[in-house]
């Protein structure tokens, strides 16, 4: 406690601890640590692959749209199996439900040793009524119920090693191929649902539109929020050209953030890939679950008097883009955004309310 101690210490040179003299753990290396031989670090990828193939994984998809837009056929086309079934002759009461009903079908599909528990949720009755006010409420309630079910399992003291995941990872919204403006129902649904789930809009039964009509419809979808009275005629295949700034401005005006969301791009490579996808939204798709003979090959398509519309041909429709987005390139990203963004927002809100 003496006042002379600081002066005595000040006469001595400052001592540096050994940890600061030789920071072994924080020494930067320009090229990393060079190994003298094979260690086997890369084998962790094989371990993860084997473990995932044994456990399998879950994927839950929801399809929303009016009756007769080919939702069940589109799901069957996506997974090339009868995963979505419907009655061949529904009764009079089942044709147009009085309220929106939700029906879920679960299948375990396997491809090359990889098992996936697929759950398809259909929404019969959506948009089929004369008065469609608040017809999205049962859908929002169902999505939040799945979040609540996962949250209850997660906050238990003794939790399961793997919590059953019934959360909706992606919602495919089917827009009627009218060739006119988006309905207020379409805009309001996507505005509300895009905040709690990944929404992917598609133009259903795009083979009913010519290339010119399809191009104009895509332009109107992108310009609908500005209230433009019309769009000039566009030459065939003009919809393949980028219209990214206009698309993003129109979606931002209505606060609609469809998947893939620009705010969640991780790196420049992801941003470049997602930008190419965002240029084509909404996808103009055609679904078919029957095969036909074309040039000696069996292809999925719709047969007409003037030819066969090949579903998996990018020159005929944009179904390959939708399939690649949902399954081949962004399936895990859909699950990650659902867990890290949408479910996290719900969890924070629920825990804040309870506290």
């Amino acid at each position: 406690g003496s006042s002379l101690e600081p002066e005595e210490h000040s006469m001595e040179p400052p001592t540096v601890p050994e940890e600061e003299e030789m920071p072994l753990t924080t020494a930067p290396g320009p090229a990393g640590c060079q190994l003298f031989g094979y260690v086997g670090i890369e084998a962790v990828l094989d371990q993860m692959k084997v473990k995932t193939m044994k456990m399998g994984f879950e994927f839950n998809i929801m399809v929303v749209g009016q009756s007769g837009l080919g939702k069940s056929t589109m799901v069957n086309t996506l997974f090339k199996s009868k995963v979505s079934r419907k009655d061949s002759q529904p009764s009079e009461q089942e044709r147009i439900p009085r309220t929106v009903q939700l029906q879920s079908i679960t299948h375990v599909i396997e491809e090359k040793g990889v098992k996936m528990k697929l759950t398809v949720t259909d929404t019969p009755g959506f948009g089929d009524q004369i008065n469609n006010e608040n017809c999205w409420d049962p859908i929002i309630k169902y999505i939040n119920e799945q979040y609540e079910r996962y949250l209850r399992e997660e906050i238990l003291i003794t939790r399961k090693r793997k919590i059953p995941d019934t959360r909706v990872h992606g919602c495919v919204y089917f827009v009627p191929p009218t060739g006119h403006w988006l309905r207020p129902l379409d805009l309001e649904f996507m505005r509300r649902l895009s905040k709690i789930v990944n929404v992917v809009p598609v133009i259903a039964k795009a083979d009913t539109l010519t290339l010119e009509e399809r191009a104009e419809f895509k332009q109107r979808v992108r310009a609908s929020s500005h209230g433009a009275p019309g769009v000039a005629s566009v030459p065939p295949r003009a919809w393949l050209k980028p219209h990214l700034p206009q698309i993003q401005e129109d979606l931002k005006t209505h606060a609609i953030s469809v998947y893939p969301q620009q705010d969640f791009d991780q790196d420049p490579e992801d941003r470049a890939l997602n930008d190419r996808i965002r240029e084509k939204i909404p996808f103009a798709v055609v679904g078919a679950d029957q095969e036909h003979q074309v040039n000696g090959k069996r292809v999925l398509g719709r047969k007409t008097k003037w030819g066969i519309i090949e579903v998996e041909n990018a020159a005929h429709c944009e179904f390959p883009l939708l399939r690649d987005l949902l399954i081949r390139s962004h399936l895990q990203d859909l699950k990650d955004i659902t867990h890290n963004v949408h479910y996290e927002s719900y969890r924070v809100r629920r825990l804040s309310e309870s506290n």
Side-chain angles (χ1 to χ4, degrees), residues 62 64 99-102 121 123 126 134-150 152 166-168 189 192-193 196-197 346 349-350:
M62 174 183 286
V64 182
T99 58
V100 179
Q101 302 174 359
L102 283 87
T121 303
T123 57
F126 176 84
N134 298 329
C135 63
W136 47 77
D137 286 346
I139 300 175
I140 295 177
K141 180 181 177 182
Y142 175 82
I143 295 175
N144 288 332
E145 284 177 354
Q146 310 315 309
Y147 290 152
E148 182 69 21
R149 180 181 300 182
Y150 193 91
R152 290 179 180 177
T166 59
R167 299 169 297 181
V168 179
F189 175 85
R192 291 174 179 267
L193 269 293
I196 61 174
V197 72
Y346 179 84
R349 185 175 70 254
R350 286 286 291 114

Side-chain angles (χ1 to χ4, degrees), residues 213-278:
E213 291 173 342
R214 188 190 307 178
E216 291 181 9
F217 192 28
K218 277 178 168 280
Q219 291 284 2
R220 286 168 180 162
V221 169
R222 294 162 183 165
S224 59
S225 59
H226 292 307
V231 179
S233 179
V234 184
R237 300 202 178 278
W239 52 274
L240 293 175
K241 297 180 181 179
H243 297 280
L244 179 61
Q246 184 179 2
I247 298 173
Q248 296 301 326
E249 288 299 325
D250 294 341
L251 295 178
K252 287 180 180 179
T253 302
H254 273 281
I256 299 174
S257 179
V258 297
Y259 183 84
Q261 298 90 338
Q262 193 171 11
D263 297 337
F264 305 146
D265 293 340
Q266 298 293 333
D267 51 51
E269 294 183 0
D270 293 342
R271 187 177 300 109
L273 174 61
N274 293 336
D275 285 345
R276 291 194 297 268
I277 295 173
R278 285 187 281 261

Side-chain angles (χ1 to χ4, degrees), residues 158-176:
T158 304
R159 297 188 301 182
K160 300 177 182 179
R161 295 186 59 184
K162 183 179 180 182
I163 300 177
D165 190 3
T166 59
R167 299 169 297 181
V168 179
H169 301 129
C171 174
V172 182
Y173 183 71
F174 288 73
V175 179

Side-chain angles (χ1 to χ4, degrees), residues 25-260:
T25 58
T26 59
C33 183
Q34 300 295 329
L35 304 179
F36 297 106
Y38 178 74
V39 177
I41 301 176
E42 64 173 1
V44 67
L45 298 177
D46 296 332
Q47 299 173 28
M48 296 173 62
K49 180 179 179 180
V50 172
K51 185 176 181 180
T52 303
M53 292 179 66
K54 288 182 178 179
M55 297 179 59
F57 60 99
E58 299 157 324
F59 185 61
N60 309 317
I61 187 173
M62 174 183 286
V63 289
V64 182
Q66 285 183 342
S67 302
L69 293 181
K71 301 186 295 296
S72 300
T73 304
M74 178 59 62
V75 173
N76 293 337
T77 309
L78 278 172
F79 299 98
K80 293 187 176 181
S81 59
K82 299 293 183 180
V83 295
S84 181
R85 300 186 180 94
K86 59 182 179 180
D87 296 336
S88 57
Q89 293 182 350
S91 61
E92 293 292 336
Q93 296 180 354
E94 293 176 346
R95 287 181 181 177
I96 302 180
R98 293 184 178 181
T99 58
V100 179
Q101 302 174 359
L102 283 87
Q103 302 174 355
S104 297
I105 301 177
T106 301
H107 297 274
V108 177
I109 58 180
E110 183 175 355
E111 183 180 27
K112 295 184 178 180
V114 180
K115 294 182 180 180
M116 181 176 71
K117 183 180 180 181
L118 174 66
T119 301
V120 180
T121 303
D122 195 3
T123 57
F126 176 84
D128 294 337
Q129 308 298 323
I130 297 177
N131 183 7
N132 292 305
E133 185 179 3
N134 298 329
C135 63
W136 47 77
D137 286 346
I139 300 175
I140 295 177
K141 180 181 177 182
Y142 175 82
I143 295 175
N144 288 332
E145 284 177 354
Q146 310 315 309
Y147 290 152
E148 182 69 21
R149 180 181 300 182
Y150 193 91
L151 177 62
R152 290 179 180 177
E153 292 287 342
E154 192 178 43
I155 63 178
L156 291 176
I157 298 178
T158 304
R159 297 188 301 182
K160 300 177 182 179
R161 295 186 59 184
K162 183 179 180 182
I163 300 177
D165 190 3
T166 59
R167 299 169 297 181
V168 179
H169 301 129
C171 174
V172 182
Y173 183 71
F174 288 73
V175 179
T178 58
H180 301 289
W181 300 92
L182 275 179
R183 303 167 302 172
L185 174 62
D186 303 328
L187 292 173
E188 189 65 19
F189 175 85
M190 288 189 287
R191 186 184 70 83
R192 291 174 179 267
L193 269 293
S194 61
K195 299 176 182 179
I196 61 174
V197 72
N198 300 313
V199 178
V200 180
V202 299
I203 300 175
K205 294 187 175 181
D207 55 330
T208 60
L209 301 173
T210 64
L211 289 177
E212 292 85 353
E213 291 173 342
R214 188 190 307 178
E216 291 181 9
F217 192 28
K218 277 178 168 280
Q219 291 284 2
R220 286 168 180 162
V221 169
R222 294 162 183 165
S224 59
S225 59
H226 292 307
V231 179
S233 179
V234 184
R237 300 202 178 278
W239 52 274
L240 293 175
K241 297 180 181 179
H243 297 280
L244 179 61
Q246 184 179 2
I247 298 173
Q248 296 301 326
E249 288 299 325
D250 294 341
L251 295 178
K252 287 180 180 179
T253 302
H254 273 281
I256 299 174
S257 179
V258 297
Y259 183 84

